[in-house]
Amino acid sequence: MFSSTGSFFSLFFFSFLLVLLLSFYQVNSSSTPTKIGKGYRLISIEETPDGGIVGILQVKQNNKIYGPDIPLLQLYVKHETQDRLRVHITDAEKQRWEVPYNLLPREKAQALKQTIGRSRKNPITVQEYSGSELIFSYIADPFSFAVKRKSNGQTLFNSSSDGSGSFGEMVFKDQYLEISTQLPKDASLYGLGENTQPHGIKLYPGVPYTLYTTDISAINLNADLYGSHPVYMDLRKVKGQAYAHAVLLLNSNGMDVFYRGTSLTYKIIGGVFDFYFFSGPSPLAVVDQYTALIGRPAPMPYWAFGFHQCRWGYHNLSVVEDVVENYKKAQIPLDVIWNDDDHMDGHKDFTLNLVNYPRPKLLAFLEKIHSIGMKYIVIIDPGIGVNSSYGVYQRGIANDVFIKYEGEPYLAQVWPGAVNFPDFLNPKTVDWWGDEVRRFHELVPVDGLWIDMNEASNFCSGLCKIPKGKQCPSGTGPGWVCCLDCKNITKTRWDDPPYKINASGLQVPIGYKTIATSAVHYNGVLEYDAHSLYGFSQAIATHKALQGLEGKRPFILSRSTYVGSGKYAAHWTGDNKGTWEDLKYSISTMINFGIFGVPMVGSDICGFYPAPTEELCNRWIEVGAFYPFSRDHANFYSPRQELYQWDSVAESARNALGMRYKILPYLYTLSYEAHTTGAPIARPLFFSFPDYTECYGLSTQFLLGSSLMISPVLEQGKSQVKALFPPGSWYNLFDMTQAITSEGGQYVTLDAPLHVVNVHLHQNTILPMQQGGMISKEARMTPFALVVTFPAGASDGKAAGKLFLDDDELPEMKLASGSATYVDFYATLSQGTVKLWSEVQESKFALDKGWKISKVAVLGLGRSGAPSALEFDGKPVTAASNIELTSLEQKYLEDLQVGSEKKSSVMVEVNGLEIPVGKNFAMSWKMGISG
């Protein structure tokens, strides 16, 4: 839904002003590092019973900048796993705010010592603490620490200032923490979001990265947006070999992170230093290690990988029915239809507008779409309308579930008018929320929930009251203008902290257009500390509520996210605009969220704000058809932009979404990989080609899984695209006779007329596909085909692939008898013989479903005579069978053959097969010698 920053004119003026001020801020704050105090000295250190080390740090010289120093700190270090090191620094004498352990389960840090100053048991004199992959070392005075990779000795993190002038010593005050690390110039960094990065996927020196969940539109560049993810991945070459690692600072307080190319500095307004280092050394291993800590990505139902259509402004049910019907008429696939708040009674959560969405007609519509496998999702905002006749509010008050200010529910304004915000840190609130979801589901059997505005967004700021003698909101004009009687709150240090983070890119007060930061959650927790956890805690509560309904796998889409949100929810990138720039930015944001452990992600296709051109919408669906989460969504004030509105866009949609629905088994298998290993569904190219430095900053192409590359047109008026092809052979998925061989990696200019998107499959892959359809349920029951790719013209080769199938309504996504099947596919090419076989685990589910493989296509085989001597499970296939072998010559781009031997290969297709997916098989044939 529309951000709360005001009218369109004020929104765009605000964005323009933000860019100007952000430029000023970058020049004036990131280029001149501050130095505060002289740091700490280590005065004692010892081993702990759990195999870690604990030490005491003492401040060297007090100063009052940003408040008094905390005099004594406790250092706790532990190699928690072979590939994860934790460094935790907190006040040695008082408990401080940390991300709650019940929200993000993890090992507890060392309890505070009560014997500071007494003699130590097990004193340590060595300055290194070594684990399997990482080494922690320290300098006692002034205290600094470093983390090194054991295998090659490279320093991954080093907080020592070395007197170089690039940054100061560690600072630890109640409301200001600062620590830095040295970095090599050639390190490529990724992460630190959520933000819209105009420079692409790599972090850009001189840009301040602010982390504080904020409802400002995603059209604002390099500003703190809806999520907070204080983690970065570092990729660098060492003696010709690529190594990746990641650094997480688990802290929910607002922070600025300054990256200067050779150093990185954190400036945080509270909490503790709780660092986790992940050793990698591959990008995939990093994300595996990271999600092992924060939580594996949520299992998604199969239909979630279908196409979704939404719009704010479907005024009544008949409009929604027309949308569904028009998709069907246009023969464009559609799985899920959404409602923004149009279905609600006065914008109130868990209600139904009985005039525009009469319940009997809505239930009949849902029964109709459910019968063919379509789904229905609606929006829920966290603000609960203050209304004495509104049952949800009444029950909330009775259960005391709202965030408080001076003992009373904190009053804010969102779409219903005056609202209170549920406190999802309170167990009672989680129960109440689950009950409200249950009640609503009995009213309207929705298939998932969309939780929006949960940064939390507030149309007002400060301490507010409902005005007397006037209606608020008035019902005329924009609903996002504050109409409560409000006054600023600056009386506490929580509302006006000494250090000002670059909130909204403008250093606005941290309580601006959100919950007052001196408001109080359950057990006295301050909003100041818990602010960026709000959407995360709501996602956890919503996940629990949905899972408790019918025991089905939940689907939740959340705008605000934090470390660990991917365990519960998908994400869309918020309020973008229908521009070519926004189309391009969407790729970087999507890739970042894969690194953050939120792989089910996508942007509003064709843009949320008005208005995309016909050409842009053509190109956007060609990208968006390959987002993990693929949804067209538009603003209330936008012209209609469903994919059937233009004939040309409908053609592009049929083409691109047609391919998406054919590769649904691959996407779903990738989602199983994500759930079990954290592997992103959409990835930057360097995940598969980490040694190929040319792709380190590539932000205009992406991979699905390890080997399917999307190279879209992202510029107006172009009918070609210059695409980077890493080393190897690549095959056009839309026309498998078209191939490209890139010896050492190179840019290639590809034809890309309006309805064409270039999708290429890399060598050594086995891709499972089906025949597609208009709905995923229908597409899922069509016969399978396997596409096998070898290096072009090679005499020897290997390929592999996998397929996961399950009952996608079950809450858990796991391999289990009768409810799931997993298949590994293998192929070899050797001495003129092609072999292809499968190894099936838990065959029953696939056999019961009756899935069959009807076709195999093998690409890149050396040009030779016709294939012959086909055998299946060791027995020759006779001419009497329906199985056919055919071969087609493959075509290569001529301009790639200059100066090298001209490539030639054939594609062999085996048709007429009826191989049960759930049964092991083996087939082979010989490639003849041409005369």
Side-chain angles (χ1 to χ4, degrees):
M1 186 176 282
F2 185 50
S3 294
S4 60
T5 43
S7 68
F8 286 113
F9 175 78
S10 64
L11 174 78
F12 298 136
F13 177 75
F14 175 82
S15 301
F16 175 70
L17 180 65
L18 189 153
V19 170
L20 290 179
L21 289 172
L22 187 56
S23 300
F24 174 83
Y25 181 76
Q26 289 169 21
V27 169
N28 285 276
S29 58
S30 65
S31 60
T32 53
T34 56
K35 292 190 176 182
I36 301 170
K38 297 191 175 180
Y40 286 76
R41 66 168 64 89
L42 181 69
I43 59 172
S44 68
I45 190 162
E46 66 178 56
E47 292 180 359
T48 61
D50 65 355
I53 57 173
V54 64
I56 298 296
L57 307 175
Q58 183 180 55
V59 71
K60 293 187 67 173
Q61 185 180 59
N62 285 305
N63 70 77
K64 299 296 184 184
I65 301 171
Y66 302 137
D69 296 280
I70 292 179
L72 292 171
L73 303 177
Q74 177 175 281
L75 165 72
Y76 172 67
V77 184
K78 187 182 179 188
H79 293 280
E80 292 190 334
T81 68
Q82 287 191 338
D83 40 44
R84 182 173 80 227
L85 169 70
R86 185 181 192 183
V87 178
H88 183 276
I89 303 174
T90 187
D91 188 330
E93 299 176 292
K94 292 180 185 173
Q95 195 75 34
R96 285 183 64 79
W97 164 258
E98 298 184 44
V99 175
Y101 284 81
N102 63 327
L103 280 191
L104 191 66
R106 58 202 189 278
E107 283 188 36
K108 289 279 176 72
Q110 177 76 14
L112 297 180
K113 294 286 180 182
Q114 305 302 319
T115 57
I116 293 166
R118 295 185 189 172
S119 62
R120 293 279 169 191
K121 297 177 183 176
N122 308 319
I124 295 175
T125 55
V126 296
Q127 293 183 319
E128 285 193 348
Y129 169 50
S130 183
S132 298
E133 302 292 339
L134 299 173
I135 300 170
F136 172 86
S137 63
Y138 61 88
I139 296 171
D141 188 5
F143 173 76
S144 67
F145 73 90
V147 178
K148 295 180 180 178
R149 190 182 295 283
K150 197 171 185 179
S151 63
N152 61 13
Q154 184 158 63
T155 300
L156 310 185
F157 191 96
N158 185 359
S159 70
S160 171
S161 68
D162 266 355
S164 63
S166 60
F167 55 82
E169 303 296 341
M170 185 179 81
V171 182
F172 204 119
K173 301 167 185 281
D174 190 28
Q175 289 184 269
Y176 182 79
L177 288 72
E178 180 181 322
I179 195 167
S180 303
T181 180
Q182 303 171 24
L183 289 167
K185 280 184 179 178
D186 63 346
S188 296
L189 268 59
Y190 311 88
L192 295 179
E194 177 178 8
N195 52 50
T196 300
Q197 298 176 192
H199 302 292
I201 56 174
K202 280 171 70 169
L203 298 186
Y204 193 77
V207 171
Y209 295 91
T210 301
L211 278 63
Y212 188 72
T213 60
T214 305
D215 174 14
I216 58 170
S217 162
I219 66 174
N220 295 297
L221 308 180
N222 292 326
D224 46 316
L225 297 181
Y226 314 106
S228 175
H229 295 271
V231 62
Y232 69 85
M233 180 186 291
D234 180 329
L235 179 63
R236 46 180 103 156
K237 282 291 251 326
V238 182
K239 296 179 181 177
Q241 187 173 350
Y243 289 87
H245 68 273
V247 179
L248 166 67
L249 173 56
L250 188 61
N251 181 304
S252 63
N253 290 82
M255 69 178 79
D256 289 333
V257 187
F258 296 95
Y259 173 48
R260 298 185 180 89
T262 57
S263 68
L264 185 141
T265 299
Y266 299 91
K267 299 183 177 184
I268 316 154
I269 59 173
V272 301
F273 291 130
D274 194 1
F275 282 104
Y276 291 86
F277 299 91
F278 306 90
S279 67
S282 70
L284 267 180
V286 165
V287 181
D288 186 0
Q289 294 152 15
Y290 180 58
T291 56
L293 172 70
I294 68 166
R296 299 298 194 191
M300 293 288 154
Y302 200 85
W303 53 261
F305 291 94
F307 183 68
H308 303 244
Q309 177 61 52
C310 185
R311 176 183 171 83
W312 179 25
Y314 287 151
H315 299 293
N316 57 49
L317 179 59
S318 64
V319 177
V320 175
E321 291 173 318
D322 284 347
V323 170
V324 173
E325 187 60 30
N326 284 328
Y327 266 94
K328 183 179 177 182
K329 283 180 183 174
Q331 289 291 286
I332 300 171
L334 179 66
D335 258 76
V336 190
I337 187 73
W338 295 57
N339 264 127
D340 206 311
D341 71 355
D342 303 290
H343 68 286
M344 295 181 184
D345 177 18
H347 307 285
K348 297 191 299 292
D349 282 348
F350 306 118
T351 64
L352 195 61
N353 182 323
L354 297 178
V355 175
N356 294 333
Y357 284 81
R359 185 168 180 258
K361 289 185 176 179
L362 178 59
L363 292 178
F365 167 71
L366 294 183
E367 187 174 352
K368 178 182 175 183
I369 66 169
H370 283 156
S371 70
I372 58 170
M374 281 188 66
K375 305 296 178 180
Y376 178 61
I377 294 175
V378 300
I379 199 168
I380 298 284
D381 293 338
I384 301 298
V386 176
N387 184 324
S388 59
S389 63
Y390 173 35
V392 178
Y393 171 74
Q394 291 173 334
R395 291 185 290 272
I397 289 292
N399 285 283
D400 194 22
V401 302
F402 297 117
I403 292 170
K404 301 285 182 60
Y405 187 84
E406 295 182 342
E408 296 296 322
Y410 176 75
L411 192 72
Q413 181 188 328
V414 200
W415 299 111
V419 299
N420 296 149
F421 286 113
D423 175 11
F424 293 104
L425 299 184
N426 185 341
K428 280 169 57 179
T429 307
V430 175
D431 292 342
W432 162 83
W433 186 256
D435 184 56
E436 297 303 338
V437 169
R438 179 190 58 77
R439 289 169 182 265
F440 179 63
H441 193 266
E442 288 175 358
L443 184 72
V444 183
V446 295
D447 300 289
L449 288 175
W450 171 18
I451 53 177
D452 190 14
M453 308 289 282
N454 52 351
E455 291 74 29
S457 179
N458 181 358
F459 297 165
C460 301
S461 302
L463 183 60
C464 302
K465 295 180 180 178
I466 297 174
K468 293 180 179 176
K470 70 170 184 177
Q471 187 178 339
C472 172
S474 64
T476 61
W480 56 79
V481 174
C482 179
C483 55
L484 300 177
D485 288 340
C486 303
K487 62 180 182 180
N488 289 334
I489 308 173
T490 57
K491 62 186 178 184
T492 78
R493 61 194 180 101
W494 312 116
D495 301 296
D496 187 23
Y499 175 76
K500 309 294 187 271
I501 62 169
N502 192 30
S504 299
L506 295 169
Q507 286 194 340
V508 301
I510 56 174
Y512 179 72
K513 295 292 185 79
T514 188
I515 299 167
T517 42
S518 53
V520 179
H521 291 254
Y522 178 69
N523 268 355
V525 169
L526 286 167
E527 168 69 11
Y528 180 88
D529 292 316
H531 171 84
S532 289
L533 300 176
Y534 193 78
F536 178 41
S537 61
Q538 186 194 14
I540 294 172
T542 307
H543 188 273
K544 183 179 180 183
L546 285 178
Q547 205 164 45
L549 280 179
E550 298 174 312
K552 289 184 178 180
R553 190 174 298 175
F555 179 84
I556 299 161
L557 184 72
S558 180
R559 190 168 75 177
S560 186
T561 58
Y562 185 71
V563 174
S565 283
K567 184 178 178 182
Y568 305 97
H571 175 64
W572 93 108
T573 64
D575 298 345
N576 60 358
K577 195 182 175 193
T579 69
W580 292 94
E581 291 78 14
D582 283 71
L583 169 58
K584 190 174 179 180
Y585 302 153
S586 74
I587 294 176
S588 294
T589 308
M590 170 183 69
I591 284 171
N592 263 339
F593 270 86
I595 294 171
F596 297 153
V598 189
M600 191 63 167
V601 59
S603 294
D604 287 344
I605 293 169
C606 299
F608 179 69
Y609 294 126
T613 63
E614 182 175 348
E615 182 191 1
L616 174 62
C617 212
N618 269 279
R619 293 307 192 187
W620 209 317
I621 186 55
E622 290 172 355
V623 181
F626 300 98
Y627 292 155
F629 172 64
S630 184
R631 184 183 73 158
D632 182 319
H633 180 43
N635 184 276
F636 187 92
Y637 299 96
S638 301
R640 294 287 290 270
Q641 65 182 48
E642 292 85 4
L643 301 178
Y644 55 76
Q645 296 290 346
W646 302 272
D647 288 344
S648 70
V649 176
E651 185 177 341
S652 292
R654 283 189 291 270
N655 187 48
L657 287 173
M659 182 55 75
R660 180 188 181 90
Y661 274 62
K662 289 176 183 176
I663 64 168
L664 282 176
Y666 179 65
L667 286 172
Y668 193 66
T669 301
L670 291 177
S671 101
Y672 175 70
E673 278 188 46
H675 179 57
T676 53
T677 71
I681 297 171
R683 309 171 190 176
L685 271 63
F686 68 75
F687 264 63
S688 289
F689 304 95
D691 291 324
Y692 185 49
T693 54
E694 189 70 28
C695 66
Y696 281 15
L698 187 66
S699 308
T700 53
Q701 298 166 248
F702 59 95
L703 293 171
L704 291 176
S706 61
S707 54
L708 195 63
M709 183 170 72
I710 321 299
S711 307
V713 172
L714 302 173
E715 296 177 69
Q716 185 176 0
K718 300 289 186 182
S719 58
Q720 291 183 317
V721 62
K722 187 179 178 184
L724 180 65
F725 281 79
S729 299
W730 297 85
Y731 300 92
N732 186 326
L733 200 60
F734 285 92
D735 178 0
M736 294 179 202
T737 65
Q738 301 283 341
I740 289 171
T741 292
S742 175
E743 298 292 349
Q746 64 195 105
Y747 278 94
V748 181
T749 299
L750 304 170
D751 286 333
L754 188 61
H755 305 304
V756 169
V757 57
N758 280 279
V759 180
H760 288 85
L761 185 63
H762 195 232
Q763 64 188 38
N764 308 328
T765 302
I766 301 179
L767 176 73
M769 298 178 69
Q770 286 177 287
Q771 294 179 2
M774 292 298 102
I775 297 171
S776 65
K777 181 180 179 181
E778 163 194 316
R780 198 179 190 195
M781 296 316 295
T782 60
F784 278 85
L786 300 179
V787 180
V788 183
T789 59
F790 290 123
S795 56
D796 294 282
K798 291 181 178 179
K802 57 198 77 165
L803 175 64
F804 178 78
L805 302 158
D806 76 343
D807 178 347
D808 68 310
E809 292 204 330
L810 292 178
E812 291 189 67
M813 190 181 207
K814 64 180 182 180
L815 194 54
S817 179
S819 62
T821 295
Y822 186 88
V823 187
D824 281 302
F825 296 108
Y826 301 98
T828 58
L829 169 63
S830 179
Q831 298 180 333
T833 298
V834 178
K835 293 182 180 177
L836 172 66
W837 70 96
S838 70
E839 294 178 3
V840 180
Q841 297 178 53
E842 300 295 352
S843 61
K844 186 176 187 303
F845 179 71
L847 290 173
D848 288 349
K849 289 289 183 182
W851 279 306
K852 299 283 177 67
I853 299 167
S854 65
K855 176 180 172 180
V856 168
V858 182
L859 316 184
L861 294 168
R863 189 178 181 190
S864 57
S868 62
L870 177 65
E871 292 188 357
F872 190 80
D873 288 342
K875 297 176 182 176
V877 174
T878 65
S881 76
N882 293 322
I883 298 174
E884 261 189 311
L885 269 86
T886 57
S887 63
L888 288 168
E889 186 173 347
Q890 295 187 290
K891 305 179 192 75
Y892 290 80
L893 282 183
E894 289 299 324
D895 61 346
L896 294 189
Q897 310 306 323
V898 177
S900 63
E901 183 184 341
K902 189 165 183 176
K903 292 286 182 187
S904 66
S905 66
V906 295
M907 172 177 82
V908 171
E909 287 190 348
V910 187
N911 286 288
L913 299 169
E914 289 192 4
I915 305 170
V917 171
K919 185 180 175 187
N920 290 347
F921 75 90
M923 62 189 297
S924 65
W925 67 86
K926 294 187 183 300
M927 297 302 297
I929 306 298
S930 56

